[in-house]
C-alpha cells in the first residue's frame, strides 16, 4: 500500500472547490418544491451548530449549508418519548418501497426489518425506547403538517426513521453530532473515505460535498437501505459509490482508504478495516458509549484516544448476539448518574466488576472519555486509561455478551 506521505495539503479556495465538485460529476437532482423554504431553515440549523462550538472548519460549514437534509428524510416519526439517541445503526432507514406507494405517498407500516445479517446500517447512534409517534411526511395533504415535517428535518435532533410496534428502532443523525464526527475525521483534499453504515445517505452527501463523490464509498448490508440511500443521494445531486456488503469486512473494491468512519458501535475493531487503510490513515468509530479515533500504522497496528463527546450507537449488525445490559446491582445511585462512570462501566464490561470500576473511577479522579484509548497490535486489542502500557487496561470484545450501554 502507498503512503499518504504525512504532509499537509493546502486548502482550495471557493472556486477550486466548486470546480472539483463539478469535475466529479455532481448533477442536479429533480426539481425540489421545498428548496427555497428549506434553505432558510437550514441556515438557522447551521447557525445553531456554530453557536454551540461546531463547524469551525469552513469547508464543513459549507457542506451543512448546501446539502439539503430534507431530501434524505422524506418522512420520519415525531416521538412523544424517546430513549437514548444518537446516530443510526441496527435496523436502518425506511426502505424505498415504504417511502412511496403507487400514488407517490408514503405508505409504509412503520415497521423495520429484522436486524439480521452482518452489517452496519444507518448514519450513527441509534435510539431506543417505547414511544408514541406521529409520522410526518413531505407530501402530506395538510399544509401545517408539511410545515412541521420541514421544520423538523432541520432541527438539531435525531429523527426517528423506523418504528416497530411502538418501539423506536433507528434514527437519522443529530446534525451537531455528525458535524463533530466529520470534523474529528480530519479529512484532507484528495482523501478517500469509506463510511460503514449508509443510513439515509445524508452523511455520505456531506462527505461527497467536501471531498468529491469519486472519493466517497458508503456501505451497508441491507439492499433496501442502500437503494434508498442511493435514491436520496441522486435527488440531492450526488452519486458516490453506494455498496451493499458486510460492514465488518469493509469494501476492498475501493481500497485503500485514508479515512474510515463508522456509524454503528463495535465491540472491537474489525481487522479488515486496518487492512484496507493506507499507513497514517484515521479510523473513527463508536465503541462503548464513546467515539474512538485510531491512527493506523499498518494493517495490524493502530492506536488512538476517545473524543470527549458522548455518543450512543446501535451495534454493527452480525457482530454477535444482542448485548445484555451491564449489571449495576450493589452500586450506589449517585455514580450511575455520572456519564463518565457509565462510560467506564461499558468500556470494561465483562472484564471489571462494577464495584471495582467504581473504586478505580473514584481513585483516578473520575476520568472523562478523553483519558481513555485503544490499542490494536496484531491479534490483541485493548482499551486503557491514560497510557497503553499503564496500570489499567481491558481486552476489547464482548465476553459474556456484556457490551451494552447502561
Amino acid at each position: 500500500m502507498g503512503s499518504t506521505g504525512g504532509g499537509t495539503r493546502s486548502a482550495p479556495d471557493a472556486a477550486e472547490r466548486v470546480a472539483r465538485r463539478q469535475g466529479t460529476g455532481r448533477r442536479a437532482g429533480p426539481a425540489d418544491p421545498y428548496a427555497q423554504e428549506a434553505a432558510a431553515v437550514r441556515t438557522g440549523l447551521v447557525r445553531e451548530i456554530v453557536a454551540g462550538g461546531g463547524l469551525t472548519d469552513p469547508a464543513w460549514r459549507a457542506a451543512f449549508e448546501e446539502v439539503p437534509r430534507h431530501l434524505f428524510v422524506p418522512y420520519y416519526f415525531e416521538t412523544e418519548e424517546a430513549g437514548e439517541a444518537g446516530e443510526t445503526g441496527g435496523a436502518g432507514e425506511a426502505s424505498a418501497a415504504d417511502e412511496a406507494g403507487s400514488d407517490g405517498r408514503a405508505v409504509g407500516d412503520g415497521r423495520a426489518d429484522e436486524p439480521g445479517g452482518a452489517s452496519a446500517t444507518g448514519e450513527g447512534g441509534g435510539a431506543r425506547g417505547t414511544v408514541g409517534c406521529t409520522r410526518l411526511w413531505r407530501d402530506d395533504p395538510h399544509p401545517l403538517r408539511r410545515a412541521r415535517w420541514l421544520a423538523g428535518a432541520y432541527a438539531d435532533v435525531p429523527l426517528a426513521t423506523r418504528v416497530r410496534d411502538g418501539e423506536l428502532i433507528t434514527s437519522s443523525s443529530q446534525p451537531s453530532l455528525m458535524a463533530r464526527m466529520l470534523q474529528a475525521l480530519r479529512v484532507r483534499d484528495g482523501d478517500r473515505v469509506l463510511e460503514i453504515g449508509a443510513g439515509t445517505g445524508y452523511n455520505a452527501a456531506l462527505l461527497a460535498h467536501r471531498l468529491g463523490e469519486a472519493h466517497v464509498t458508503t456501505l451497508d448490508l441491507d439492499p433496501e437501505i442502500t437503494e434508498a440511500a442511493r435514491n436520496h443521494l441522486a435527488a440531492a445531486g450526488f452519486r458516490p459509490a453506494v455498496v451493499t456488503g458486510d460492514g465488518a469486512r469493509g469494501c476492498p473494491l475501493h481500497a485503500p482508504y485514508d479515512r474510515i468512519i463508522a456509524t454503528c458501535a463495535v465491540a472491537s475493531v474489525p481487522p479488515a478495516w486496518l487492512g484496507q487503510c493506507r499507513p497514517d490513515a484515521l479510523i473513527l468509530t463508536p465503541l462503548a458509549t464513546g467515539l474512538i479515533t485510531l491512527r493506523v500504522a499498518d494493517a495490524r497496528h493502530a492506536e488512538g484516544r476517545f473524543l470527549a463527546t458522548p455518543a450512543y450507537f446501535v451495534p454493527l449488525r452480525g457482530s454477535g448476539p444482542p448485548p445484555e445490559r451491564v449489571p449495576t446491582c450493589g452500586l450506589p445511585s449517585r455514580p450511575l448518574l455520572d456519564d463518565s462512570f457509565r462510560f467506564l462501566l461499558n468500556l470494561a464490561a465483562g472484564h471489571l466488576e462494577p464495584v471495582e470500576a467504581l473504586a478505580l473511577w473514584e481513585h483516578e479522579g473520575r476520568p472523562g472519555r478523553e483519558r481513555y484509548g485503544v490499542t490494536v497490535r496484531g491479534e490483541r486489542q485493548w482499551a486503557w486509561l491514560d497510557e497503553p502500557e499503564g496500570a489499567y487496561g481491558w481486552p476489547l470484545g464482548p465476553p459474556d455478551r456484556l457490551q451494552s450501554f447502561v
Side-chain angles (χ1 to χ4, degrees):
M1 294 185 294
S3 172
T4 58
T8 59
R9 308 180 190 181
S10 60
D13 60 22
E16 290 173 325
R17 197 177 301 283
V18 170
R20 185 188 65 229
R21 291 202 302 271
Q22 291 174 340
T24 57
R26 182 180 178 187
R27 293 166 287 275
D32 176 14
Y34 300 100
Q36 186 172 353
E37 188 178 356
V41 289
R42 188 160 60 249
T43 297
L45 171 63
V46 171
R47 286 176 179 166
E48 181 180 350
I49 296 173
V50 170
L55 295 177
T56 57
D57 183 334
W60 285 122
R61 178 167 180 167
F64 277 80
E65 287 174 337
E66 297 175 25
V67 175
R69 189 190 189 201
H70 67 283
L71 295 182
F72 296 86
V73 285
Y75 74 84
Y76 58 86
F77 297 91
E78 228 181 31
T79 60
E80 297 172 2
E81 177 185 353
E84 294 165 299
E87 307 276 307
T88 309
E93 194 220 354
S95 69
D98 280 347
E99 287 180 3
S102 58
D103 60 355
R105 298 193 306 155
V107 296
D109 63 2
R111 295 177 62 86
D113 297 329
E114 292 301 321
S119 169
T121 62
E123 302 169 354
R128 58 182 201 175
T130 301
V131 298
C133 58
T134 301
R135 185 163 70 172
L136 297 180
W137 164 46
R138 66 185 169 194
D139 296 323
D140 194 301
H142 197 291
L144 292 180
R145 286 195 294 267
R146 290 198 305 271
R148 280 171 56 196
W149 163 78
L150 186 61
Y154 290 101
D156 188 27
V157 295
L159 299 176
T161 54
R162 307 202 78 169
V163 173
R164 182 197 298 125
D165 297 332
E167 183 173 353
L168 185 58
I169 304 299
T170 59
S171 61
S172 178
S173 312
Q174 181 177 4
S176 59
L177 179 57
M178 295 178 69
R180 289 194 293 272
M181 291 178 68
L182 289 170
Q183 197 147 306
L185 202 58
R186 288 179 276 174
V187 298
R188 302 163 298 180
D189 294 317
D191 278 351
R192 298 182 64 85
V193 178
L194 171 64
E195 179 191 28
I196 307 294
T200 66
Y202 179 52
N203 202 54
L206 294 166
L207 286 162
H209 184 285
R210 171 65 180 83
L211 296 169
E213 58 192 26
H215 292 84
V216 177
T217 300
T218 185
L219 174 70
D220 204 289
L221 177 70
D222 192 326
E224 288 190 342
I225 292 172
T226 51
E227 179 187 1
R230 191 178 293 111
N231 290 340
H232 297 160
L233 284 157
F238 296 99
R239 288 172 174 79
V242 181
V243 178
T244 303
D246 183 348
R249 296 180 180 178
C251 183
L253 179 64
H254 297 134
Y257 303 102
D258 301 286
R259 301 289 186 269
I260 293 179
I261 180 170
T263 56
C264 52
V266 295
S268 59
V269 183
W273 294 2
L274 272 65
Q276 293 170 26
C277 283
R278 289 191 174 101
D280 201 41
L282 193 69
I283 294 174
L284 191 157
T285 184
L287 195 154
T289 63
L291 296 166
I292 185 72
T293 56
L294 296 168
R295 184 65 67 178
V296 177
D298 55 42
R300 292 174 58 81
H301 299 85
E303 191 168 273
R305 288 183 179 270
F306 283 89
L307 304 181
T309 305
Y312 297 87
F313 288 72
V314 296
L316 176 73
R317 292 199 297 168
S319 58
E324 298 176 358
R325 287 185 177 271
V326 177
T328 59
C329 53
L331 293 175
S333 59
R334 186 176 295 274
L336 291 173
L337 299 176
D338 193 302
D339 177 72
S340 66
F341 177 60
R342 296 199 308 271
F343 173 72
L344 174 59
L345 278 180
N346 284 277
L347 187 63
H351 304 290
L352 197 63
E353 291 297 325
V355 291
E356 295 175 319
L358 178 59
L360 185 159
W361 179 71
E362 291 178 333
H363 181 267
E364 293 299 320
R366 303 181 178 185
R369 285 173 172 79
E370 66 277 8
R371 285 180 58 185
Y372 297 89
V374 166
T375 297
V376 179
R377 290 183 188 169
E379 303 301 319
R380 294 182 59 218
Q381 297 188 26
W382 70 96
W384 39 264
L385 175 65
D386 291 333
E387 298 293 337
E389 305 294 346
Y392 304 110
W394 311 276
L396 287 183
D400 299 324
R401 299 166 58 200
L402 295 175
Q403 197 65 27
S404 183
F405 57 82
V406 294

